[in-house]
């Protein structure tokens, strides 16, 4: 992640190892938004964890982007999923909070780990659990279009905690990159 400050626009570009914008079917893999669409970005550290297949993962940090507007966030999430998950297998998350539509406050997370997305649960534990109106939680899968055991356990944990706190229970989705569609689970 390289950040260049400007007050003219907000832009995301996906570049190759030589610094060139990636092209897919002749289309540059970049998104430009009105200035102020990206409300913030940060790195959020997470601890060592064990994946669903039993592999130990070292501690690291997730890249978190806060995006204004549901359509803007969807565009960025899908482009990230296509260019990150579809290439490396690293999952990406999209968490929708607040009001639906142009005023929606959305979080896009990348924990930069193969086959998992630790940024989603870390963002929930450290911030979103504290009174946020979470509408939905989505994460990308490189191939499968179903929720595995770990996905179901995470959903159940969030549902139980939301019930305990007497707050809205978010919907949960998988975005299947190869088929370019969402499934609710």
């Amino acid at each position: 992640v390289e950040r260049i400050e400007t007050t003219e626009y907000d832009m995301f570009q996906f570049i190759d190892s030589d610094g060139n914008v990636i092209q897919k079917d002749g289309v540059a893999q970049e998104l430009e938004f009105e200035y102020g669409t990206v409300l913030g970005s940060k790195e959020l550290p997470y601890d060592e964890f064990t994946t669903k297949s039993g592999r130990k993962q070292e501690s690291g940090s997730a890249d978190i982007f806060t995006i204004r507007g549901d359509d803007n966030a969807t565009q960025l999430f899908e482009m990230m999923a296509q260019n990150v998950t579809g290439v490396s297998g690293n999952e990406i998350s999209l968490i929708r909070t607040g009001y639906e539509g142009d005023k929606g406050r959305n979080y896009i997370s990348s924990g930069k780990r193969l086959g998992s997305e630790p940024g989603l649960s870390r963002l929930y534990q450290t911030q979103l659990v504290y009174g946020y109106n979470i509408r939905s939680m989505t994460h990308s899968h490189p191939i499968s279009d179903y929720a595995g055991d770990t996905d179901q356990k995470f959903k159940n944990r969030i549902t139980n905690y939301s019930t305990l706190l007497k707050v809205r229970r978010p919907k949960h989705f998988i975005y299947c990159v190869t088929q370019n569609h969402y499934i609710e689970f």
Side-chain angles (χ1 to χ4, degrees):
V1 175
E2 182 180 331
R3 186 174 177 170
I4 300 170
E5 299 272 343
T6 178
T7 58
E8 296 175 31
Y9 53 83
D10 293 337
M11 178 182 276
F12 288 84
Q13 294 180 316
F14 296 87
I15 59 173
D16 62 22
S17 59
D18 295 324
N20 301 312
V21 176
I22 294 171
Q23 302 282 323
K24 282 191 179 175
D25 299 324
V27 177
Q29 296 301 290
E30 61 185 13
L31 284 174
E32 184 175 324
F33 299 112
E34 176 184 318
Y35 177 72
T37 300
V38 179
L39 301 173
S41 65
K42 65 182 176 181
E43 282 190 279
L44 188 61
Y46 55 84
D47 295 328
E48 180 181 284
F49 65 99
T50 302
T51 66
K52 55 191 163 201
S53 64
R55 284 181 301 159
K56 284 219 181 249
Q57 295 285 325
E58 295 179 11
S59 59
S61 65
D63 295 323
I64 310 287
F65 301 98
T66 308
I67 308 294
R68 180 176 41 89
D70 291 351
D71 289 343
N72 296 330
T74 298
Q75 288 177 47
L76 180 58
F77 169 73
E78 289 180 2
M79 185 168 277
M80 286 181 77
Q82 294 294 326
N83 286 285
V84 176
T85 308
V87 174
S88 68
N90 296 352
E91 296 179 2
I92 306 292
S93 293
L94 168 62
I95 302 100
R96 297 193 186 282
T97 69
Y99 296 103
E100 195 171 329
D102 292 342
K103 294 183 180 184
R105 186 177 193 95
N106 300 273
Y107 298 89
I108 297 176
S109 170
S110 171
K112 303 173 275 198
R113 294 289 181 190
L114 179 65
S116 64
E117 212 303 84
L120 172 63
S121 93
R122 188 71 176 138
L123 181 62
Y124 179 77
Q125 294 167 351
T126 60
Q127 181 178 337
L128 301 180
V129 72
Y130 299 107
Y132 280 72
N133 173 25
I134 303 171
R135 294 180 283 133
S136 66
M137 296 178 145
T138 303
H139 70 278
S140 59
H141 277 188
I143 298 171
S144 65
D145 65 351
Y146 62 89
D149 289 343
T150 303
D151 299 327
Q152 291 290 351
K153 287 177 185 175
F154 179 76
K155 174 189 174 184
N156 292 341
R157 207 169 60 234
I158 299 296
T159 299
N160 291 341
Y161 203 63
S162 298
T163 302
L164 180 69
L165 294 175
K166 298 181 181 175
V167 296
R168 177 186 202 162
R169 286 180 270 176
K171 293 181 177 183
H172 293 263
F173 297 91
I174 300 287
Y175 174 68
C176 180
V177 173
T178 55
Q179 297 174 24
N180 193 28
H181 81 278
Y182 294 82
I183 59 143
E184 186 173 357
F185 69 97

